[in-house]
Coordinates of all heavy atoms in Angstrom, one line a residue:
E207 N 45.3 -5.1 71.5 CA 45.4 -4.9 72.9 C 45.5 -3.4 73.4 O 45.2 -3.1 74.5 CB 46.7 -5.6 73.4 CG 46.6 -7.1 73.2 CD 47.8 -7.9 73.9 OE1 47.8 -7.8 75.1 OE2 48.6 -8.5 73.2
E208 N 45.7 -2.5 72.5 CA 45.7 -1.1 72.8 C 44.6 -0.4 72.0 O 44.5 -0.6 70.8 CB 47.1 -0.5 72.5 CG 48.3 -1.0 73.3 CD 48.2 -0.7 74.8 OE1 47.5 0.3 75.1 OE2 48.7 -1.5 75.6
G209 N 44.0 0.6 72.7 CA 42.8 1.3 72.0 C 43.2 2.0 70.8 O 42.3 2.3 70.0
S210 N 44.5 2.3 70.6 CA 44.9 3.1 69.4 C 44.9 2.2 68.1 O 45.0 2.7 67.0 CB 46.2 3.7 69.6 OG 47.2 2.7 69.9
Q211 N 44.9 0.9 68.3 CA 45.1 0.0 67.2 C 44.0 -0.1 66.2 O 44.2 -0.1 65.0 CB 45.5 -1.4 67.7 CG 46.9 -1.5 68.4 CD 47.2 -2.8 69.0 OE1 47.0 -3.0 70.2 NE2 47.7 -3.8 68.2
P212 N 42.7 -0.3 66.7 CA 41.6 -0.5 65.8 C 41.5 0.6 64.7 O 41.4 0.3 63.5 CB 40.4 -0.6 66.7 CG 40.9 -1.0 68.0 CD 42.2 -0.4 68.1
P213 N 41.5 1.9 65.1 CA 41.3 2.9 64.0 C 42.5 2.9 63.0 O 42.3 3.1 61.8 CB 41.3 4.3 64.8 CG 41.5 4.0 66.2 CD 41.4 2.5 66.4
Q214 N 43.7 2.5 63.5 CA 44.9 2.5 62.6 C 44.7 1.3 61.7 O 45.0 1.5 60.5 CB 46.2 2.3 63.5 CG 47.4 2.6 62.6 CD 47.5 4.0 62.1 OE1 47.4 4.9 62.8 NE2 47.6 4.1 60.8
L215 N 44.3 0.2 62.2 CA 44.1 -1.0 61.3 C 43.0 -0.8 60.3 O 43.2 -1.2 59.1 CB 43.7 -2.2 62.2 CG 44.9 -2.8 63.0 CD1 44.3 -3.7 64.1 CD2 45.9 -3.6 62.2
L216 N 42.0 -0.1 60.6 CA 40.9 0.3 59.7 C 41.4 1.3 58.6 O 41.2 1.1 57.4 CB 39.7 0.9 60.4 CG 38.8 -0.1 61.2 CD1 37.8 0.7 62.0 CD2 38.0 -1.0 60.2
A217 N 42.2 2.3 59.1 CA 42.7 3.3 58.2 C 43.6 2.7 57.2 O 43.7 3.1 56.0 CB 43.3 4.4 59.0
D218 N 44.5 1.8 57.6 CA 45.4 1.1 56.8 C 44.8 0.0 55.9 O 45.5 -0.6 55.1 CB 46.6 0.5 57.6 CG 47.4 1.5 58.3 OD1 47.4 2.7 57.9 OD2 48.1 1.2 59.3
R219 N 43.5 -0.2 56.1 CA 42.7 -1.2 55.3 C 43.3 -2.6 55.6 O 43.1 -3.5 54.7 CB 42.7 -0.9 53.8 CG 41.9 0.4 53.5 CD 42.2 0.9 52.1 NE 41.5 -0.1 51.1 CZ 40.3 0.1 50.6 NH1 39.6 1.2 50.9 NH2 39.9 -0.8 49.7
E220 N 44.0 -2.8 56.7 CA 44.4 -4.1 57.1 C 43.2 -5.0 57.5 O 43.3 -6.2 57.5 CB 45.5 -4.1 58.2 CG 46.8 -3.6 57.7 CD 47.8 -3.7 58.8 OE1 47.9 -4.8 59.5 OE2 48.5 -2.7 59.1
V221 N 42.2 -4.3 58.0 CA 41.0 -5.0 58.4 C 39.8 -4.2 57.8 O 39.9 -3.0 57.6 CB 40.8 -5.1 59.9 CG1 42.0 -5.9 60.5 CG2 40.7 -3.8 60.6
A222 N 38.7 -5.0 57.6 CA 37.4 -4.3 57.2 C 36.6 -3.9 58.4 O 35.9 -2.9 58.3 CB 36.7 -5.3 56.3
F223 N 36.6 -4.7 59.4 CA 35.9 -4.5 60.7 C 36.8 -4.4 61.8 O 37.9 -5.1 61.8 CB 34.9 -5.6 61.0 CG 33.8 -5.9 60.0 CD1 33.9 -6.7 59.0 CD2 32.5 -5.2 60.2 CE1 32.8 -7.0 58.1 CE2 31.5 -5.5 59.4 CZ 31.6 -6.3 58.3
A224 N 36.5 -3.6 62.8 CA 37.3 -3.6 64.1 C 36.4 -3.3 65.2 O 35.6 -2.3 65.2 CB 38.4 -2.6 64.0
S225 N 36.5 -4.1 66.3 CA 35.9 -3.7 67.6 C 36.7 -2.5 68.1 O 37.9 -2.5 67.9 CB 35.8 -4.8 68.5 OG 37.1 -5.2 69.0
A226 N 36.0 -1.6 68.8 CA 36.8 -0.4 69.3 C 35.9 0.3 70.3 O 34.7 0.0 70.5 CB 37.0 0.5 68.1
Y227 N 36.5 1.3 71.0 CA 35.8 2.2 71.8 C 35.1 3.3 70.9 O 35.8 3.8 70.0 CB 36.7 2.9 72.9 CG 37.5 1.9 73.7 CD1 38.9 1.9 73.7 CD2 36.9 0.9 74.4 CE1 39.6 1.0 74.4 CE2 37.6 0.0 75.2 CZ 39.0 0.1 75.1 OH 39.7 -0.9 75.9
N228 N 33.9 3.6 71.1 CA 33.2 4.4 70.1 C 33.9 5.8 70.0 O 33.9 6.4 68.9 CB 31.7 4.6 70.5 CG 31.5 5.5 71.7 OD1 31.7 5.1 72.8 ND2 31.0 6.7 71.4
G229 N 34.5 6.3 71.1 CA 35.1 7.6 71.0 C 36.3 7.6 70.1 O 36.7 8.6 69.5
R230 N 37.1 6.5 70.1 CA 38.3 6.4 69.2 C 37.8 6.5 67.7 O 38.5 7.2 66.9 CB 39.0 5.1 69.5 CG 39.6 5.0 70.8 CD 41.0 5.5 70.8 NE 41.7 5.2 72.1 CZ 43.0 5.3 72.3 NH1 43.8 5.8 71.4 NH2 43.5 5.0 73.5
I231 N 36.7 5.8 67.4 CA 36.3 5.8 66.0 C 35.7 7.2 65.7 O 36.0 7.8 64.6 CB 35.2 4.7 65.8 CG1 35.8 3.4 66.1 CG2 34.6 4.8 64.4 CD1 37.0 3.0 65.2
F232 N 35.0 7.8 66.6 CA 34.5 9.2 66.4 C 35.6 10.1 66.1 O 35.6 10.9 65.2 CB 33.7 9.6 67.6 CG 33.3 11.1 67.6 CD1 32.2 11.6 66.9 CD2 34.1 12.0 68.2 CE1 31.9 12.9 66.8 CE2 33.8 13.4 68.2 CZ 32.7 13.8 67.5
D233 N 36.7 10.0 66.9 CA 37.8 10.9 66.7 C 38.5 10.8 65.4 O 38.8 11.8 64.7 CB 38.8 10.7 67.8 CG 40.0 11.7 67.9 OD1 39.7 12.9 68.1 OD2 41.1 11.3 67.7
A234 N 38.6 9.5 64.9 CA 39.2 9.3 63.6 C 38.3 9.8 62.5 O 38.7 10.3 61.5 CB 39.4 7.8 63.4
M235 N 37.0 9.7 62.7 CA 36.0 10.2 61.7 C 36.0 11.7 61.5 O 36.1 12.2 60.4 CB 34.6 9.7 62.0 CG 34.4 8.2 61.8 SD 32.9 7.6 62.7 CE 31.5 8.5 62.0
V236 N 36.1 12.4 62.7 CA 35.9 13.8 62.6 C 37.3 14.6 62.5 O 37.4 15.6 61.9 CB 35.1 14.4 63.8 CG1 33.7 13.8 63.8 CG2 35.8 14.3 65.1
S237 N 38.3 14.0 63.2 CA 39.6 14.7 63.2 C 40.5 14.3 62.0 O 41.3 15.1 61.6 CB 40.3 14.4 64.5 OG 39.5 14.8 65.6
E238 N 40.3 13.1 61.5 CA 41.1 12.6 60.4 C 40.3 12.3 59.1 O 40.9 11.9 58.1 CB 41.9 11.3 60.8 CG 42.8 11.5 62.1 CD 43.1 10.2 62.7 OE1 43.1 9.1 62.0 OE2 43.3 10.1 63.9
N239 N 39.0 12.6 59.2 CA 38.1 12.4 58.0 C 38.2 11.0 57.5 O 38.2 10.7 56.3 CB 38.5 13.4 57.0 CG 37.3 13.8 56.2 OD1 36.2 13.7 56.7 ND2 37.5 14.3 55.0
Q240 N 38.3 10.0 58.4 CA 38.3 8.6 57.9 C 36.9 8.1 57.5 O 35.9 8.5 58.1 CB 38.9 7.7 59.1 CG 40.3 7.9 59.4 CD 41.3 7.4 58.4 OE1 40.9 6.8 57.4 NE2 42.6 7.7 58.6
P241 N 36.9 7.2 56.5 CA 35.6 6.7 56.0 C 35.0 5.6 56.9 O 34.7 4.5 56.4 CB 35.9 6.3 54.6 CG 37.3 5.8 54.7 CD 38.0 6.7 55.7
F242 N 34.9 5.8 58.2 CA 34.5 4.8 59.1 C 33.0 5.0 59.4 O 32.5 6.1 59.4 CB 35.2 4.8 60.4 CG 36.7 4.7 60.3 CD1 37.5 5.0 61.4 CD2 37.3 4.1 59.2 CE1 38.9 4.9 61.3 CE2 38.7 4.0 59.1 CZ 39.5 4.4 60.2
E243 N 32.3 3.8 59.7 CA 30.9 3.8 60.2 C 30.9 2.9 61.4 O 31.5 1.9 61.4 CB 30.0 3.3 59.1 CG 29.9 4.2 57.9 CD 29.1 5.5 58.2 OE1 28.4 5.6 59.1 OE2 29.3 6.5 57.4
I244 N 30.0 3.3 62.3 CA 29.8 2.5 63.5 C 28.6 1.6 63.4 O 27.5 2.1 62.9 CB 29.7 3.4 64.8 CG1 31.1 4.0 65.1 CG2 29.1 2.6 66.0 CD1 31.0 5.0 66.3
I245 N 28.7 0.4 63.7 CA 27.6 -0.5 63.8 C 27.1 -0.4 65.3 O 27.7 -0.9 66.2 CB 28.0 -2.0 63.5 CG1 28.4 -2.1 62.0 CG2 26.8 -2.9 63.8 CD1 28.9 -3.5 61.7
W246 N 26.0 0.3 65.5 CA 25.5 0.5 66.8 C 24.7 -0.7 67.4 O 24.5 -0.9 68.6 CB 24.6 1.7 66.9 CG 25.4 3.0 66.8 CD1 25.4 3.9 65.8 CD2 26.2 3.6 67.8 NE1 26.3 5.0 66.0 CE2 26.8 4.8 67.3 CE3 26.6 3.2 69.1 CZ2 27.6 5.6 68.0 CZ3 27.4 4.1 69.8 CH2 27.9 5.3 69.3
D247 N 24.4 -1.6 66.4 CA 23.7 -2.8 66.9 C 24.5 -3.6 67.9 O 25.7 -3.8 67.7 CB 23.4 -3.7 65.6 CG 22.7 -5.0 66.0 OD1 21.7 -4.9 66.7 OD2 23.1 -6.1 65.5
A248 N 23.8 -3.9 69.0 CA 24.5 -4.7 70.1 C 25.7 -4.1 70.7 O 26.6 -4.7 71.2 CB 24.8 -6.1 69.6
Q249 N 25.7 -2.7 70.6 CA 26.8 -2.0 71.4 C 26.7 -2.5 72.8 O 25.7 -2.7 73.4 CB 26.6 -0.5 71.3 CG 25.3 0.0 71.9 CD 25.4 1.5 72.4 OE1 26.3 1.8 73.2 NE2 24.5 2.3 71.9
V250 N 27.9 -2.7 73.4 CA 28.0 -3.0 74.8 C 28.5 -1.8 75.6 O 29.6 -1.4 75.4 CB 29.0 -4.2 75.1 CG1 29.0 -4.6 76.6 CG2 28.6 -5.4 74.2
F251 N 27.5 -1.2 76.3 CA 27.9 0.1 76.9 C 28.3 -0.1 78.3 O 27.8 -1.1 79.0 CB 26.7 1.1 76.8 CG 25.5 0.9 77.7 CD1 25.4 1.5 78.9 CD2 24.5 0.0 77.2 CE1 24.3 1.2 79.7 CE2 23.4 -0.2 78.0 CZ 23.3 0.4 79.2
E252 N 29.1 0.7 78.8 CA 29.5 0.6 80.2 C 30.0 2.0 80.7 O 30.1 2.9 80.0 CB 30.6 -0.4 80.4 CG 31.9 -0.2 79.7 CD 32.9 -1.4 80.0 OE1 33.0 -1.7 81.1 OE2 33.5 -1.8 79.0
L253 N 30.3 2.0 82.0 CA 30.7 3.2 82.6 C 32.2 3.1 82.8 O 32.8 2.0 82.8 CB 30.1 3.3 84.0 CG 28.5 3.4 83.9 CD1 27.9 2.9 85.2 CD2 28.1 4.9 83.7
D254 N 32.8 4.3 82.9 CA 34.3 4.3 83.2 C 34.5 5.5 84.1 O 33.8 6.5 84.0 CB 35.1 4.5 81.9 CG 36.5 4.6 82.1 OD1 37.1 3.6 82.5 OD2 37.1 5.7 82.0
G255 N 35.4 5.4 85.1 CA 35.6 6.5 86.0 C 36.8 6.3 86.9 O 37.8 5.6 86.6
W256 N 36.7 7.0 88.0 CA 37.9 7.1 88.9 C 37.9 6.2 90.1 O 36.8 6.0 90.7 CB 38.0 8.6 89.4 CG 38.1 9.6 88.4 CD1 37.1 10.6 88.0 CD2 39.2 9.9 87.5 NE1 37.6 11.4 87.0 CE2 38.9 10.9 86.7 CE3 40.5 9.2 87.4 CZ2 39.8 11.5 85.7 CZ3 41.3 9.7 86.4 CH2 41.0 10.8 85.6
V257 N 39.1 5.8 90.5 CA 39.3 5.1 91.8 C 40.5 5.8 92.4 O 41.4 6.3 91.7 CB 39.5 3.6 91.7 CG1 38.3 2.9 91.1 CG2 40.8 3.3 90.9
V258 N 40.5 5.8 93.8 CA 41.6 6.5 94.5 C 42.5 5.4 95.2 O 41.9 4.7 96.1 CB 41.0 7.4 95.6 CG1 42.2 8.1 96.3 CG2 40.1 8.5 94.9
P259 N 43.7 5.3 94.8 CA 44.6 4.3 95.5 C 44.6 4.6 97.0 O 44.5 5.7 97.5 CB 46.0 4.5 94.9 CG 45.7 5.1 93.6 CD 44.5 5.9 93.7
T260 N 44.7 3.5 97.8 CA 44.6 3.6 99.3 C 45.7 4.5 99.8 O 46.9 4.5 99.4 CB 44.9 2.2 99.9 OG1 43.8 1.3 99.4 CG2 44.8 2.2 101.4
G261 N 45.3 5.5 100.6 CA 46.2 6.4 101.2 C 46.3 7.8 100.4 O 47.0 8.7 100.9
K262 N 45.6 7.8 99.3 CA 45.8 9.0 98.4 C 44.6 10.0 98.5 O 44.6 11.0 97.8 CB 46.0 8.6 97.0 CG 47.2 7.7 96.8 CD 48.5 8.5 96.9 CE 49.7 7.7 96.5 NZ 51.0 8.5 96.4
L263 N 43.6 9.7 99.3 CA 42.3 10.4 99.2 C 42.5 11.9 99.5 O 42.0 12.8 98.9 CB 41.2 9.8 100.1 CG 39.8 10.4 99.9 CD1 39.3 10.4 98.5 CD2 38.9 9.7 100.8
D264 N 43.3 12.2 100.6 CA 43.5 13.6 101.0 C 44.2 14.4 99.9 O 43.9 15.6 99.6 CB 44.3 13.7 102.3 CG 43.4 13.3 103.5 OD1 42.2 13.3 103.4 OD2 44.0 13.1 104.6
K265 N 45.1 13.7 99.2 CA 45.8 14.4 98.1 C 45.0 14.8 96.9 O 45.1 15.8 96.3 CB 47.0 13.5 97.7 CG 47.9 14.2 96.6 CD 49.2 13.4 96.3 CE 50.1 14.1 95.3 NZ 51.3 13.3 95.0
V266 N 44.0 13.9 96.6 CA 43.2 14.1 95.3 C 41.8 14.6 95.6 O 41.0 14.8 94.6 CB 43.2 12.9 94.5 CG1 44.6 12.5 94.0 CG2 42.5 11.7 95.2
R267 N 41.4 14.8 96.9 CA 40.0 15.1 97.2 C 39.5 16.3 96.4 O 38.4 16.2 95.8 CB 40.0 15.4 98.7 CG 38.6 15.7 99.2 CD 38.6 16.1 100.7 NE 39.1 15.0 101.5 CZ 38.4 14.0 102.0 NH1 37.1 14.1 101.8 NH2 38.9 13.1 102.7

Side-chain angles (χ1 to χ4, degrees):
E207 297 189 65
E208 296 294 335
S210 57
Q211 291 173 267
Q214 193 62 56
L215 289 165
L216 284 171
D218 293 343
R219 296 168 67 97
E220 286 187 49
V221 299
F223 294 92
S225 69
Y227 308 122
N228 74 286
R230 294 270 190 170
I231 298 299
F232 170 83
D233 188 61
M235 288 162 62
V236 302
S237 301
E238 301 163 28
N239 214 23
Q240 293 288 355
F242 302 163
E243 293 289 338
I244 289 176
I245 296 174
W246 288 106
D247 181 44
Q249 60 151 307
V250 182
F251 73 95
E252 63 180 313
L253 299 153
D254 179 69
W256 300 113
V257 300
V258 180
T260 300
K262 300 287 187 173
L263 187 55
D264 285 345
K265 185 173 182 182
V266 299
R267 180 185 300 274

